[in-house]
Amino acid sequence: MDRELLPVFVYGTLRPGRGNHARLLRGRTVAEEPARMRGAALYEGPGYPYAVADPEGEILGEALWLPADRYDALLASLDALEGYAPGGSANHYVQVIRPVRLTGGDTVRAWVYLAEEGLAARLRLRGRRVEGGNWPE
């Protein structure tokens, strides 16, 4: 793959202590640090949240650093979980680079999965926003 070796910002079931983190990432990361991402809001999904671009929003989550020698394989497993295929036309999410602020105040660039625009538009109209940007509330 040709993706930059950046941390991944997670905000739902991939956060440490939650189910998909235990299944896919526990013991496989180099570092994990609480972080905040501005410019997006969370909306409730069927058992998981969706991040939707929103200039006024902020999401709480974690930045996860993946080991370089397993980076592509781990990112591919996250893509599969999120139903994301690079360049695919039926994606529910898009994978983008966004700045995230770490607890110490430093900002890093990270990969994050955002709801694709058609889904994001429906969520903005009819979805239930997660107040405070921390899922589950």
Side-chain angles (χ1 to χ4, degrees), residues 80-98:
L81 174 72
E82 303 294 6
Y84 170 74
S89 61
N91 292 330
H92 286 241
Y93 290 94
V94 293
Q95 187 187 67
V96 296
I97 296 173
R98 293 286 187 265

